[in-house]
Amino acid sequence: MSDFDFDLFVIGGGSGGVRAARVAAGETGAKVALAEEDRYGGTCVIRGCVPKKLMVFASEYGTVAEDAKGYGWDIAEGSFNWGSFRERLKNELDRLEGIYRNLLKNSGVTSYDARAKVKDAHTVELSTGETITAKHILVATGGRPMRPEIPNAELGLVSDDIFHLEELPSSILIVGGGYIACEFACILNGLGVEVTQYYRGAQVLRGFDEQARGLIAESMVENGVQLHCGTDIVEMRLATAEDLEEHEIAGVPMGARMQEMLADHSGGKPGDGPVWVKASNGDVKVFDKVFFATGRLPNTDDMGLEEAGVKLGRKGEILVDDYSATDVPSIYAIGDVTDRVNLTPVAIREGMAFVETVFKDNPTKVDHELIPSAVFTQPEFGTVGLSEEEAAEQEPIEVYATSFRPMQTAFAGRPDRVMMKLVVSKETRKVLGCHIVAPNAGEMIQLAGIAVKMGATKEDFDRTVAVHPTMSEEIVTLKSPVRTA
Ligand SMILES: Cc1cc2nc3c(=O)[nH]c(=O)nc-3n(C[C@H](O)[C@H](O)[C@H](O)COP(=O)(O)OP(=O)(O)OC[C@H]3O[C@@H](n4cnc5c(N)ncnc54)[C@H](O)[C@@H]3O)c2cc1C
């Protein structure tokens, strides 16, 4: 008989926490509890991957309809109804949250709808006032978006807010150059919002393959996003009537709706607008909304972690070893709160490796090498392994690449280009990186990722017969290197 209330107490009902809790309870018979302070499913299901991807789909139908005309379809002009989409989105997220709750229930996990705090190595305190003991505590509290530290930053939206907008803004300034900033720039642009994007760096999507970044940025601009790199906000505040007279809201003549909003705004609430913005490139504009996609922070504030002996890093992330163990032997941490590779499938794997290590007597490290991932911009980006730049720093390489206009959109008269690229080790011939910028590149890279993970060589790719006619056949027909380094 254990001296503790539970064998495992999981804090956070997101991707990693739910998986760890239900596998530990369902497969090992451990007595497990989980606390979630908000909605089950966490960032991915409620305010991340899932609603975002549904918005990506929504935003693509405009061009699909446009392309259909190029194929002989007689299509009447349509328009996007945000209210109807948002209602359906809400219902879908409710349905998914229900599934997550049931998964826990059916695995025998005790759920607490409460905020949890670590009291000591084996005790958690709940916002309901309960104190619960557990042999092991797993912290899976994820992260949250952050605003920059500038005056009036609270006027800006963050990614959590986008899904709840009462109506789509007519214009928006997106600040940031990471994948979330670029994805929402494309989504909102596709939904008919006038999008301006400021990024203080020289090129968006820092850390990814440079050629891919360049093509994505170029395509975003071609599709209508007003992208300004090397640009940041110098000053922002609520727009006044004088501002509106002086600077019409970006792209939108000051109409009745704007006047109404101006009369209405109570001032200083997140998402209030219109917002007057002075930029480092000298532009002064008024935007309907400002949206900060300027990074995320781990959820470790006021969690009692350091008091209990858990070490935190510079950003507040929980420091863990390869087995997700903290400095306190009974406390583990997984997912975004550890700020390793902040992706849903990684949080899930870390959760499963934790269960193997702690409950199945099978110490399992999480493999963070060669993780395929996608950026759902338009065009989409699928990537696995090293960028050309990273690989060239590591060893002598050959670069095989092609860029072309894909058959489907070229026929419809759209100028879109796609790119396929293999970065190959000169010595071992192994494919060190594969980068695809193309419609559905996320789907392609999942499969190419298997080959790269298996250590496939360029010659293995060459030996594979092409599937014709497809875009992805180009990845097995790349003849000679375009560059060596
Ligand atoms: C806009 C956006 C788009 C994204 N798109 C993708 C994508 O396309 N692909 C991808 O792989 N990843 C994507 N991600 C990242 C992905 O969502 C995260 O990596 C993933 O959700 C991390 O899971 P987690 O379990 O670590 O944390 P989370 O899913 O964040 O779950 C943590 C949970 O803990 C709860 N919590 C926090 N503190 C407490 C407390 N003290 N007590 C109780 N509960 C608490 C929170 O409410 C939350 O539900 C996206 C993220 C964002 C923001």
Side-chain angles (χ1 to χ4, degrees):
M1 177 79 186
S2 166
D3 293 339
F4 301 104
D5 298 327
F6 290 96
D7 298 314
L8 172 64
F9 196 98
V10 179
I11 308 181
S15 307
V18 168
R19 179 61 67 95
R22 72 181 178 87
V23 176
E27 291 183 15
T28 75
K31 195 173 172 203
V32 181
L34 180 147
E36 169 54 55
E37 68 172 343
D38 189 354
R39 295 187 65 185
Y40 288 75
T43 304
C44 174
V45 177
I46 305 297
R47 48 193 169 268
C49 331
V50 173
K52 172 199 80 184
K53 190 78 190 280
L54 291 168
M55 282 182 79
V56 170
F57 291 141
S59 71
E60 286 175 343
Y61 283 105
T63 40
V64 170
E66 204 45 50
D67 288 354
K69 291 182 192 163
Y71 278 84
W73 284 84
D74 189 6
I75 290 187
E77 285 308 311
S79 61
F80 175 68
N81 184 329
W82 169 252
S84 130
F85 171 78
R86 207 187 53 165
E87 186 59 25
R88 290 181 65 87
L89 180 64
K90 183 188 164 300
N91 294 342
E92 178 61 4
L93 301 188
D94 289 349
R95 185 183 74 83
L96 292 173
E97 186 182 8
I99 289 176
Y100 272 78
R101 276 185 185 273
N102 279 336
L103 282 172
L104 289 171
K105 195 169 147 211
N106 297 340
S107 310
V109 176
T110 305
S111 299
Y112 294 92
D113 286 1
R115 177 174 167 78
K117 234 179 119 157
V118 173
K119 190 174 176 209
D120 62 41
H122 294 285
T123 314
V124 292
E125 273 177 345
L126 300 185
S127 49
T128 53
E130 290 158 278
T131 299
I132 294 166
T133 60
K135 188 167 180 203
H136 294 100
I137 296 171
L138 178 66
V139 185
T141 48
R144 63 182 187 284
M146 64 175 201
R147 292 181 174 80
E149 284 180 11
I150 55 171
N152 299 321
E154 68 283 355
L155 291 174
L157 303 164
V158 290
S159 60
D160 292 0
D161 305 317
I162 288 291
F163 312 108
H164 305 290
L165 288 172
E166 280 300 317
E167 52 188 26
L168 274 186
S170 47
S171 68
I172 196 162
L173 169 64
I174 298 183
V175 185
Y179 82 94
I180 294 176
C182 294
E183 288 177 340
F184 277 102
C186 294
I187 289 169
L188 294 169
N189 181 54
L191 294 178
V193 178
E194 165 136 349
V195 177
T196 304
Q197 186 178 354
Y198 289 168
Y199 174 51
R200 64 182 176 191
Q203 182 58 285
V204 292
L205 298 174
R206 189 163 61 92
F208 290 108
D209 186 87
E210 236 165 69
Q211 197 180 349
R213 297 162 72 192
L215 178 56
I216 294 165
E218 225 176 271
S219 309
M220 285 170 65
V221 171
E222 219 159 65
N223 292 338
V225 175
Q226 295 170 46
L227 175 62
H228 300 267
C229 290
T231 305
D232 208 348
I233 293 184
V234 174
E235 216 182 315
M236 66 184 279
R237 57 168 166 74
L238 273 176
T240 62
E242 293 76 53
D243 294 329
L244 288 181
E245 265 167 39
E246 211 175 315
H247 316 275
E248 65 175 29
I249 293 187
V252 184
M254 189 175 72
R257 191 173 80 75
M258 287 305 154
Q259 299 226 28
E260 217 175 86
M261 280 176 60
L262 194 60
D264 250 19
H265 72 55
S266 44
K269 286 200 312 296
D272 265 353
V275 184
W276 175 94
V277 174
K278 186 172 170 190
S280 57
N281 64 359
D283 283 356
V284 177
K285 281 189 179 161
V286 174
F287 298 94
D288 202 351
K289 299 276 182 219
V290 171
F291 168 9
F292 290 115
T294 41
R296 293 179 64 78
L297 287 174
N299 283 329
T300 50
D301 288 359
D302 192 28
M303 287 275 303
L305 289 162
E306 281 179 302
E307 295 82 338
V310 173
K311 288 214 173 64
L312 303 183
R314 212 167 44 86
K315 275 175 75 181
E317 75 278 16
I318 298 181
L319 299 178
V320 289
D321 67 11
D322 291 346
Y323 300 93
S324 300
T326 71
D327 276 9
V328 179
S330 56
I331 303 182
Y332 285 70
I334 54 161
D336 284 12
V337 75
T338 62
D339 197 26
R340 287 176 281 179
V341 180
N342 297 336
L343 293 170
T344 289
V346 178
I348 289 173
R349 278 179 176 251
E350 288 170 358
M352 298 205 297
F354 158 78
V355 175
E356 285 292 323
T357 302
V358 175
F359 289 95
K360 293 190 179 176
D361 202 18
N362 174 28
T364 303
K365 291 185 185 181
V366 184
D367 179 2
H368 288 115
E369 293 298 311
L370 294 172
I371 294 171
S373 66
V375 177
F376 296 99
T377 37
Q378 292 159 24
E380 214 166 281
F381 178 32
T383 177
V384 61
L386 301 179
S387 67
E388 179 179 337
E389 296 70 39
E390 287 167 332
E393 265 186 28
Q394 179 182 289
E395 62 183 277
I397 54 162
E398 286 180 352
V399 178
Y400 296 80
T402 179
S403 180
F404 57 96
R405 291 181 67 195
M407 192 188 203
Q408 187 176 8
T409 46
F411 184 84
R414 244 200 295 157
D416 298 26
R417 295 194 75 77
V418 302
M419 186 204 85
M420 311 264 161
K421 179 167 178 178
L422 294 179
V423 180
V424 177
S425 160
K426 254 188 186 169
E427 192 196 332
T428 65
R429 305 299 299 153
K430 275 190 182 170
V431 175
L432 303 173
C434 175
H435 311 285
I436 302 177
V437 179
N440 296 316
E443 305 289 346
M444 296 183 208
I445 208 68
Q446 179 68 81
L447 304 180
I450 300 171
V452 176
K453 185 81 185 163
M454 287 176 76
T457 61
K458 171 69 172 67
E459 287 63 36
D460 290 325
F461 275 69
D462 294 345
R463 282 191 297 113
T464 308
V465 174
V467 178
H468 183 73
T470 62
M471 279 181 284
S472 52
E473 66 181 300
E474 298 289 334
I475 209 84
V476 296
T477 54
L478 293 164
K479 285 283 170 286
S480 31
V482 290
R483 279 184 294 285
T484 56

